[in-house]
C-alpha cells in the first residue's frame, strides 16, 4: 500500500491507483516566520532542503532553490536564470551594473575591471595598501584594553580597503560605510519603506558627487575601478552603477567575515592553536567561516522564459533566490555541515557564487582578510580574548552583531 504521508510535498497523486503520477508542477508553497528567518535562517533552510528544496516562500515573494546541486546547475543556465532584473530594487536604486547583466554585456564590464581585481594587482598593489591601512587602525587601538571588534576594527579595515580599490580616496571611511549600508538597506527594502528609500537615494547621490570630484582630478596610474573605467571612456552611468555595486558588495562582507572569523576562532581555541602552530593557515579559517556562516546567503535571478526543471514549472518573470548559505550547509555535500571545522575540504563551498557572476572581489577578499587583517590583529594582540558571546543576524547578508574583546 502506498504511504502518501512520506511523499514529497506538492506531488500530484492518483489516489485510486497504487502508483504516483508525477506531473510537472509548480514549486510548492512553504511559509516561514520572517523574524525567525532573519535572526537565524539555518533551521528553516534545513527543513527546506529536506522537504521542499524548490519552493515558493510567500514571505519573501520568491522561489527558493536551497540544494547545492540545483543552485550549481541552474546558476550557469543564464538563458533561463537571468540576472537582468529591470524592475528590481538594485537596478532602480543603483543603476544597471554588471551583476544585473547577462552574457556579452556582462562579460564586457567584467573584462574592463580585470586589472583592478586580478590576483597580480591584488598582490602587487592592494596588499601593501591594506597592510598600511590596517597598521594605522591597529596603532590607534593600541591604548585600549577592550575593543568592539566589528565597529572599531573590521569596519574601518574593510572601508579603507574599498576606498583604495574604488579610487574614492576623497571619502572618509565612515562615509564609505554609511553609503554602503544605505544601499544594502535600499536593495532589501521589499516593504517599500519611504525613509529607507530616501536614505538610499541620499547615499547614491553622495557616491556620484565623490565620483565626479575624482574624475575631475588626475586619477594617476593606479588600477582603481574609477581609473580602469575612465581609461576606456565609459559613460558616467556605467562607472557609477559599477562603483556602487563594488561599494554595496565590498564593505559589509569583508567586515562580517573579518569579525566573524576572529570571533569563531576565539570561541574554538583548539582550532586557533592549530593555526598558530602552523598546521593550518588563516585562509583555511576564512574559507571555512565563509562556508559555515556565508556572508552573502542569497543571490536573486529572474526567470527569462517558461521552463521546467526536475518536474517543476517556472514561468517568465518568476523571481528566484539562489540560497548560497543553504548550499554551503547541504548535508549531501558537507559532513556535519553545522560545525565549523578547519580540517574540512571546502572546495565545493559556493560562498562566492557558482557561475559567471562569481564574486569579482574574491582574490581581493582572500588577501585582505586572510593575509592582512586577521593575522595582523592576532600578531598585534596575542592575548586577545572574547569578553562576551557572539550573536549573528541576517539571512541575505549575515554577520556578527557588535561584540567586545579584551586585548
Ligand atoms: C567575504 C567577502 C565577499 C564575499 C563572501 C562575496 C560574495 C559574493 C557573492 C556570493 C556574489 C554573487 C555571486 C553570484 O551571484 O554568483 C558576489 C558578487 C560580486 N562581488 Fe563579492 N563578495 C565578497 C567581497 C567582495 C569585495 C571586497 C568586492 C569588491 C571590491 C566584491 C565585488 C563583487 C562584485 C563586483 C560582484 C558581481 C560580479 C559579477 O556580476 O560578475 N565582493 N560576491
Amino acid at each position: 500500500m502506498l504511504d502518501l504521508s512520506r511523499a514529497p510535498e506538492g506531488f500530484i497523486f492518483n489516489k485510486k491507483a497504487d502508483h504516483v503520477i508525477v506531473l510537472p508542477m509548480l514549486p510548492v508553497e512553504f511559509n516561514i516566520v520572517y523574524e525567525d528567518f532573519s535572526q537565524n535562517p539555518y533551521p528553516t533552510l534545513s527543513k527546506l532542503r529536506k522537504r521542499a528544496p524548490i519552493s515558493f516562500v510567500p514571505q519573501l515573494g520568491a522561489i527558493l532553490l536551497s540544494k547545492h546541486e540545483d543552485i550549481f546547475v541552474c546558476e550557469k543556465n543564464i538563458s533561463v536564470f537571468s540576472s537582468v532584473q529591470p524592475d528590481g530594487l538594485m537596478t532602480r536604486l543603483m543603476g544597471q551594473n554588471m551583476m544585473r547583466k547577462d552574457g556579452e554585456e556582462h562579460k564586457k564590464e567584467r573584462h574592463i575591471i580585470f586589472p583592478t581585481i586580478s590576483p597580480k594587482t591584488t598582490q602587487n598593489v592592494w596588499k601593501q595598501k591594506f597592510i598600511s591601512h590596517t597598521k594605522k587602525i591597529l596603532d590607534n587601538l593600541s591604548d585600549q584594553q577592550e575593543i568592539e571588534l566589528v565597529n572599531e576594527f573590521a569596519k574601518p579595515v574593510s572601508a579603507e580597503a574599498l576606498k583604495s580599490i574604488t579610487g574614492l580616496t576623497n571619502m572618509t571611511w565612515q562615509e564609505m560605510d554609511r553609503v554602503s549600508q544605505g544601499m544594502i538597506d535600499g536593495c532589501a527594502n521589499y516593504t517599500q519603506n519611504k525613509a529607507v528609500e530616501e536614505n538610499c537615494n541620499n547615499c547614491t547621490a553622495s557616491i556620484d558627487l565623490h565620483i565626479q570630484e575624482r574624475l575631475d582630478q588626475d586619477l594617476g596610474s593606479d588600477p582603481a575601478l574609477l581609473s580602469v573605467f575612465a581609461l576606456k571612456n565609459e559613460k558616467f552611468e556605467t562607472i557609477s552603477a559599477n562603483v556602487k555595486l563594488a561599494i554595496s558588495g565590498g564593505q559589509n562582507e569583508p567586515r562580517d567575515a573579518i569579525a566573524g572569523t576572529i570571533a569563531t576562532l576565539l570561541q574554538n581555541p583548539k582550532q586557533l592553536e592549530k593555526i598558530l602552530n602552523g598546521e593550518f593557515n588563516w585562509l583555511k579559517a576564512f574559507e571555512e567561516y565563509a562556508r559555515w556562516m556565508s556572508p552573502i546567503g542569497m543571490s536573486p535571478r529572474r526567470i527569462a522564459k517558461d521552463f521546467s526543471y526536475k518536474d517543476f514549472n517556472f514561468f517568465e518573470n518568476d523571481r528566484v533566490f539562489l540560497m548560497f548559505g543553504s548550499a554551503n550547509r547541504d548535508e549531501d555535500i558537507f559532513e556535519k555541515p553545522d560545525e565549523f571545522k578547519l580540517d574540512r575540504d571546502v572546495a565545493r563551498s559556493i560562498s562566492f557564487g557558482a557561475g559567471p557572476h562569481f564574486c569579482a572581489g574574491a582574490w581581493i577578499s582572500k588577501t585582505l582578510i586572510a593575509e592582512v587583517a586577521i593575522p595582523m590583529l592576532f600578531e598585534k594582540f596575542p592575548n586577545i580574548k572574547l569578553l562576551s558571546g557572539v550573536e549573528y543576524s541576517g539571512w541575505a547578508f549575515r554577520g556578527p552583531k557588535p561584540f567586545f574583546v579584551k586585548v
Side-chain angles (χ1 to χ4, degrees), residues 47-90:
K47 284 185 197 148
L48 277 166
R49 285 194 302 276
K50 286 184 188 113
R51 295 190 205 154
I54 301 177
S55 53
F56 178 74
V57 175
Q59 292 75 13
L60 301 176
I63 299 165
L64 270 57
L65 264 56
S66 54
K67 288 291 286 179
H68 187 285
E69 182 200 359
D70 297 333
I71 297 172
F72 201 72
V73 169
C74 294
E75 183 170 6
K76 293 171 184 73
N77 184 359
I78 59 168
S79 65
V80 176
F81 293 86
S82 171
S83 291
V84 181
Q85 298 160 46
D87 300 327
L89 285 167
M90 183 185 260

Side-chain angles (χ1 to χ4, degrees), residues 210-349:
H210 284 87
I211 293 178
Q212 193 56 62
E213 189 178 82
R214 289 290 286 130
L215 290 176
D216 291 342
Q217 296 165 354
D218 176 11
L219 286 172
S221 59
D222 87 3
L225 275 181
L226 276 182
S227 313
V228 299
F229 274 115
L231 206 65
K232 296 279 179 191
N233 290 320
E234 285 296 329
K235 291 182 290 195
F236 185 88
E237 203 180 296
T238 310
I239 302 178
S240 160
N242 283 299
V243 167
K244 285 171 189 157
L245 168 66
I247 294 176
S248 73
Q251 166 64 2
N252 65 318
E253 295 88 346
R255 176 199 69 202
D256 293 345
I258 291 168
T261 308
I262 293 167
T264 309
L265 288 172
L266 292 175
Q267 285 173 323
N268 292 278
K270 284 191 185 144
Q271 301 204 53
L272 173 59
E273 191 48 43
K274 289 186 179 180
I275 298 182
L276 297 173
N277 72 21
E279 201 177 322
F280 293 105
N281 59 22
W282 299 107
L283 181 61
K284 201 81 205 324
F286 161 54
E287 288 180 334
E288 168 61 354
Y289 172 81
R291 178 204 68 80
W292 175 70
M293 198 63 80
S294 307
I296 296 196
M298 169 294 263
S299 189
R301 296 292 185 272
R302 180 184 59 86
I303 297 296
K305 58 185 179 202
D306 294 358
F307 179 67
S308 73
Y309 168 77
K310 284 194 172 173
D311 300 319
F312 288 96
N313 281 336
F314 292 88
F315 294 99
E316 189 176 348
N317 289 329
D318 277 350
R319 190 154 63 134
V320 171
F321 288 170
L322 308 175
M323 304 302 288
F324 296 141
S326 176
N328 283 339
R329 297 245 189 151
D330 190 333
E331 319 42 29
D332 289 344
I333 308 288
F334 302 104
E335 204 183 310
K336 298 193 180 160
D338 295 333
E339 289 177 19
F340 172 90
K341 294 202 304 183
L342 276 182
D343 57 359
R344 183 191 295 288
D345 179 0
V346 286
R348 298 182 73 189
S349 161

